[in-house]
Amino acid sequence: MSDTPESRLAAFGLELPTPATPVANYVTWVRTGSLIVISGQLPLRDGKLLATGKLGAAVSLEVGTEAARYCFINVMAQLKAAVGDLSKVTRVVRLGGFIACTPEFTAHAGVMNGASDLAVAAFGDVGRHTRSTVGVPSLPLDAPVEVEGMFEVA
């Protein structure tokens, strides 16, 4: 088996789902030049939210981190739909994470590592990226995490 982002995911027992369709007036990705921007993705697994609620309340750090991981799996599914082959990614430029949390919650970075760690595992050194992680009072469908991304492609 060749060493590709998808083969690396398969080694972890992961495969990309069918990309989710937009739930409002937006598109899931836009390409401009060599950059592809992926709209925020929720932590869907088998078409259902992995969890609902807020970090610092009903959602544990572990579940939030796993939710961020699933968000990134869904980001990659959108990316594959955009470019056809994840091997065309030459750089994961930026990830943005939104963490639904209580005002007292401060472990945003640890939650977002679920997405960031998977980016590096799937893409190797080109998966190292910049990022922002922001706590918010709520997210669509009461999701605990949402992740967006920007990628450079060949």
Side-chain angles (χ1 to χ4, degrees), residues 9 16 42 75 122 147:
L9 290 174
L16 297 179
L42 299 179
V75 165
V147 175

Side-chain angles (χ1 to χ4, degrees), residues 87-154:
S87 295
K88 292 180 180 178
V89 173
T90 58
R91 186 74 181 174
V92 178
V93 176
R94 179 187 179 279
L95 296 181
F98 304 92
I99 314 300
C101 59
T102 63
E104 301 80 22
F105 185 79
T106 60
H108 307 79
V111 171
M112 190 59 184
N113 280 343
S116 292
D117 291 349
L118 188 54
V120 174
F123 292 102
D125 281 341
V126 301
R128 298 192 183 286
H129 53 275
T130 65
R131 79 175 194 196
S132 296
T133 306
V134 179
V136 297
S138 67
L139 288 167
L141 306 177
D142 198 27
V145 182
E146 182 175 345
V147 175
E148 63 187 13
M150 181 185 297
F151 302 84
E152 183 179 43
V153 294

Side-chain angles (χ1 to χ4, degrees), residues 39-113:
S39 293
Q41 300 296 302
L42 299 179
L44 298 173
R45 182 175 64 186
D46 301 323
K48 297 183 176 115
L49 283 174
L50 178 74
T52 58
K54 293 179 177 32
L55 278 290
V59 179
S60 70
L61 184 61
E62 295 76 21
V63 170
T65 303
E66 186 70 0
R69 179 180 165 124
Y70 271 92
C71 289
F72 189 71
I73 290 169
N74 290 299
V75 165
M76 288 189 292
Q78 297 292 350
L79 183 58
K80 183 175 180 183
V83 299
D85 180 356
L86 293 179
S87 295
K88 292 180 180 178
V89 173
T90 58
R91 186 74 181 174
V92 178
V93 176
R94 179 187 179 279
L95 296 181
F98 304 92
I99 314 300
C101 59
T102 63
E104 301 80 22
F105 185 79
T106 60
H108 307 79
V111 171
M112 190 59 184
N113 280 343

Side-chain angles (χ1 to χ4, degrees), residues 25-43:
N25 186 16
Y26 65 93
V27 294
T28 53
W29 59 270
V30 168
R31 182 171 184 159
T32 181
S34 64
L35 292 178
I36 299 212
V37 179
I38 306 294
S39 293
Q41 300 296 302
L42 299 179

